[in-house]
Amino acid sequence: MNQVESMYLGFWAAVTGAVCGSFVCCMTERIYEKRTLGGRSRCPGCGHTLGVMELIPVFSWLIQKGRCRYCRERIPTECLWSEISLAVFFTAAALRFDAWNQKICAAGLGVILLAIALWDKDTYEIPGSLLAAALVWKMMFMMLFPKYGVSVLDGLLGSCLISGGLLLLSVCMDRSMKRETIGYGDIRLLFVAGFYLGLKGNFLNLFFSSLLGILMCAAMKTKKIPFGPALAVSTAFCLCYGEALIQWYVHIW
Ligand SMILES: [Zn+2]
């Protein structure tokens, strides 16, 4: 792929990612607030139906400076971050993977990870349905395109050993600190991530997500944080760059 083709692909991947990010944020918000999933988007402040110009991902938020054009109600920044993060991830995945099935598999995982991060942020829970969707999505690609991505054995090892290790650690920590330290939803997410990343990739994922978790604790000045967003970001990063990072690390030693 030459430079022009890469730019073209990257541009459309970013646009698709931003649109998907906007959709996921909107749907998660509606489910969380127990609103109907159908119908046009409205301003939560004054209730006016949003027009086309107010629905352009990223740009509408920036042009309106994060507020409704009519009542000046704040538009949550999480919509903007959802659109940007999925635009970045779709672009990274589109340029990182050669095969279309890998690009699509990564994009599907990105959508589910964003939903997990948004849901966990508000509820401190990771829905089993989202984890099951991510697992079924990967299984489908493993069966249809067995030569791409991690092997079934590597996926199984990455899932069971890394999430099993974290489960053991969490049981020990729960007993010594007499409170829940690591949520079981997080352990199950790490289990699912193993099928996408393999053993080495998921080990790296555990390392990066823990690092991110510690940074989040320090930034938010609290001991209890939703770990899902950290795991989601780390899983997305490791899927695109984990292997290259491991290769680089092995070579410098
Ligand atoms: Zn309004």
Side-chain angles (χ1 to χ4, degrees):
M1 202 165 26
N2 63 38
Q3 210 171 1
V4 177
E5 284 170 336
S6 296
M7 279 170 70
Y8 185 75
L9 181 68
F11 171 76
W12 284 111
V15 171
T16 314
V19 172
C20 289
S22 176
F23 178 76
V24 173
C25 184
C26 170
M27 285 299 138
T28 316
E29 211 175 84
R30 286 185 188 196
I31 295 169
Y32 181 67
E33 290 169 4
K34 296 190 170 65
R35 285 191 278 141
T36 170
L37 295 184
R40 299 273 302 272
S41 291
R42 292 169 184 278
C43 164
C46 62
H48 95 271
T49 307
L50 301 183
V52 179
M53 294 309 287
E54 291 161 289
L55 289 168
I56 304 169
V58 183
F59 290 99
S60 294
W61 198 97
L62 294 176
I63 291 165
Q64 292 168 217
K65 295 185 177 129
R67 287 183 184 274
C68 168
R69 275 163 66 191
Y70 297 91
C71 68
R72 310 303 296 158
E73 170 91 6
R74 272 193 173 280
I75 306 167
T77 46
E78 62 195 47
C79 294
L80 177 71
W81 287 117
S82 299
E83 290 159 6
I84 292 175
S85 55
L86 223 48
V88 169
F89 176 67
F90 272 36
T91 308
L95 298 176
R96 162 71 184 81
F97 299 113
D98 293 326
W100 274 96
N101 69 71
Q102 284 183 292
K103 295 183 207 284
I104 294 167
C105 182
L109 176 69
V111 165
I112 299 169
L113 286 176
L114 176 62
I116 286 175
L118 289 171
W119 194 264
D120 192 42
K121 178 184 77 62
D122 290 327
T123 63
Y124 285 79
E125 270 175 26
I126 298 178
S129 54
L130 288 174
L131 293 171
L135 196 58
V136 169
W137 182 249
K138 181 60 185 169
M139 294 292 168
M140 204 173 76
F141 281 89
M142 273 179 156
M143 278 192 290
L144 292 173
F145 309 97
K147 285 182 185 161
Y148 294 91
V150 298
S151 67
V152 177
L153 179 67
D154 193 18
L156 265 172
L157 286 174
S159 292
C160 298
L161 292 183
I162 304 296
S163 66
L166 189 64
L167 178 66
L168 206 67
L169 181 71
S170 109
V171 170
C172 296
M173 280 167 64
D174 287 1
R175 284 197 180 168
S176 69
M177 295 167 91
K178 294 192 172 54
R179 66 178 176 91
E180 191 188 74
T181 48
I182 301 166
Y184 286 102
D186 303 322
I187 296 167
R188 289 192 298 172
L189 176 53
L190 205 62
F191 175 83
V192 174
F195 283 96
Y196 286 85
L197 304 173
L199 182 59
K200 283 187 250 173
N202 212 22
F203 182 74
L204 195 67
N205 187 19
L206 177 63
F207 173 75
F208 278 135
S209 56
S210 306
L211 207 64
L212 263 177
I214 293 167
L215 287 175
M216 277 169 72
C217 280
M220 292 160 77
K221 292 181 181 144
T222 173
K223 283 181 183 169
K224 192 180 181 203
I225 53 145
F227 192 47
L231 253 175
V233 170
S234 167
T235 303
F237 176 79
C238 289
L239 185 72
C240 290
Y241 304 112
E243 208 179 293
L245 212 61
I246 291 165
Q247 291 298 329
W248 169 80
Y249 185 78
V250 168
H251 277 96
I252 58 166
W253 291 101

